[in-house]
């Protein structure tokens, strides 16, 4: 299989800190000669090691960073920094070991009650992608079940002293009353369809295509390679869409692409197309390729290039990710809503991406302020159905009136 390890296109980057460049170079299990040379150059600069550890922790990439430093650049790293990384690495490994016991106990409990369940994300990725329980930072156990089994699973968790903490409408978070480090995210959907309506395969389909994975000598269910690649890509796109992505998620996808070079890419792309997931899928793979210079099979790279030509949203989201990943910029609600709209409803176009972005934003504001009448407009000025077209004029009048009223009482 031919692979190409040059980025599809080089995005302009505003990342200027050497610590971030260093993190991007070292958060991987295989470092090519070009990346190694760049790392050597960066290490000659004045590194703020405290800041590096801070962002590595925030992006859940300390295990990857530690392994790279320990195996390749040990002599170039201050001993105190290596000691801190080593301590965190072992603490994380110990915690992951505890959570692995907890997961196995829960899966056995569900199995004894004939409830099929698929664990996924952090702990499972540590085994399936990195083949090392210590190589992934994660904060909870994610388990997917059928929606009709939710009530039974809730009852079983309660018998194990878990308490419901939050209900997001597509997943629920349970925390153990006596072991607060034991947190379970119970899923019946893989994405929040209410605001990110890209539906992944249903439970039965995932279960039928699943494979076995060994965790501490026990067999557990894992997604098939095809399904896992699609799921990880969609999750990266969702996090970028929400403006809160972690570098660890991008690293997971990059590592999976590295170890699955023999996949049937034509079949995978057909599956992506049939699921109507091309936009989030290609956004994520483009991000992985440009940010981490991850080699991609030629067929996959060509498909991304062809899609970019007719879908400027891919480039727009890649730039958005680069801007937000290492900054604390908080976008106004209107901007978040716009990007949510763009991901879901942005039409295909051969416009330059910057022109497309302006055009889409003006169209979005026009629909939001002028065209999309709602119940509040009808209550503000009731009209018979024959005159409903006048709501196009009434809506901006109502919004201006509300703005003036709010300003008066501030």
């Amino acid at each position: 299989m031919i692979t190409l390890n040059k980025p599809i296109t080089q995005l302009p980057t505003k990342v200027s800190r050497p610590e971030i460049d260093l993190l991007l170079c070292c958060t991987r299990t295989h470092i090519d000669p070009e990346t190694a040379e760049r790392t050597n150059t960066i290490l000659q600069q004045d590194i703020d090691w405290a800041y590096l550890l801070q962002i590595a922790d925030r992006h859940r990439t300390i295990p990857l960073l530690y392994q790279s430093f320990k195996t390749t650049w040990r002599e170039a790293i201050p001993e105190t920094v290596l000691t801190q990384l080593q301590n965190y690495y072992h603490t994380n490994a110990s915690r992951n070991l505890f959570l692995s016991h907890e997961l196995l106990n829960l899966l056995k409990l569900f199995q004894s009650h004939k409830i099929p369940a698929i664990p996924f994300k952090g702990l499972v990725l540590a085994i399936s992608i990195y083949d090392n329980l210590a190589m992934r930072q994660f904060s909870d156990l994610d388990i997917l079940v059928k929606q009709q089994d939710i009530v039974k699973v809730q009852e079983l968790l309660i018998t194990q002293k878990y308490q419901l903490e939050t209900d997001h409408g597509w997943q629920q978070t349970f925390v153990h009353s006596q072991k607060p480090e034991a947190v379970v995210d119970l899923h019946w959907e893989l994405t929040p369809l209410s605001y990110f309506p890209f539906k992944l395969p249903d439970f039965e389909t995932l279960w039928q295509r699943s494979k076995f994975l060994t965790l501490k000598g026990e067999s557990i269910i894992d997604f098939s390679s095809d399904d896992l690649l699609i799921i990880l890509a969609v999750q990266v796109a969702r996090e970028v869409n929400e403006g809160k992505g972690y570098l660890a998620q991008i690293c997971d996808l990059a590592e999976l692409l590295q170890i699955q070079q023999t996949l049937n890419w034509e079949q995978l792309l057909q599956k992506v197309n049939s699921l109507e997931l091309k936009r989030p899928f290609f956004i994520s793979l483009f991000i992985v390729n440009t940010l981490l210079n991850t080699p991609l099979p030629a067929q996959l790279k060509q498909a991304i290039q062809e899609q970019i030509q007719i879908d400027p949203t891919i480039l727009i989201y890649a730039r958005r990710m680069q801007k937000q990943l290492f900054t604390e910029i908080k976008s106004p609600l209107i901007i978040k809503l716009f990007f949510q709209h763009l991901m879901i409803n942005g039409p295909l176009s051969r416009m330059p991406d910057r022109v497309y972005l302006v055009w889409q934003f003006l169209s979005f504001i026009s629909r939001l302020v002028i065209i999309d009448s709602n119940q509040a407009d009808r209550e503000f000025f009731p009209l018979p159905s024959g005159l409903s077209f006048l709501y196009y004029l009434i809506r901006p009048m109502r919004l201006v009136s509300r703005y003036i009223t709010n300003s008066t009482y501030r």
Side-chain angles (χ1 to χ4, degrees), residues 75 193 224 230 289:
E75 300 302 320
L193 298 176
S224 70
I230 293 171
N289 178 253

Side-chain angles (χ1 to χ4, degrees), residues 48-70:
D48 183 340
W49 297 104
Y51 176 71
L52 176 64
L53 297 181
Q54 176 189 335
I55 59 170
D57 187 26
R58 175 155 61 88
H59 284 279
R60 303 177 182 179
T61 55
I62 283 184
L64 286 168
L65 185 66
Y66 172 62
Q67 286 295 331
S68 292
F69 281 178
K70 184 183 73 169

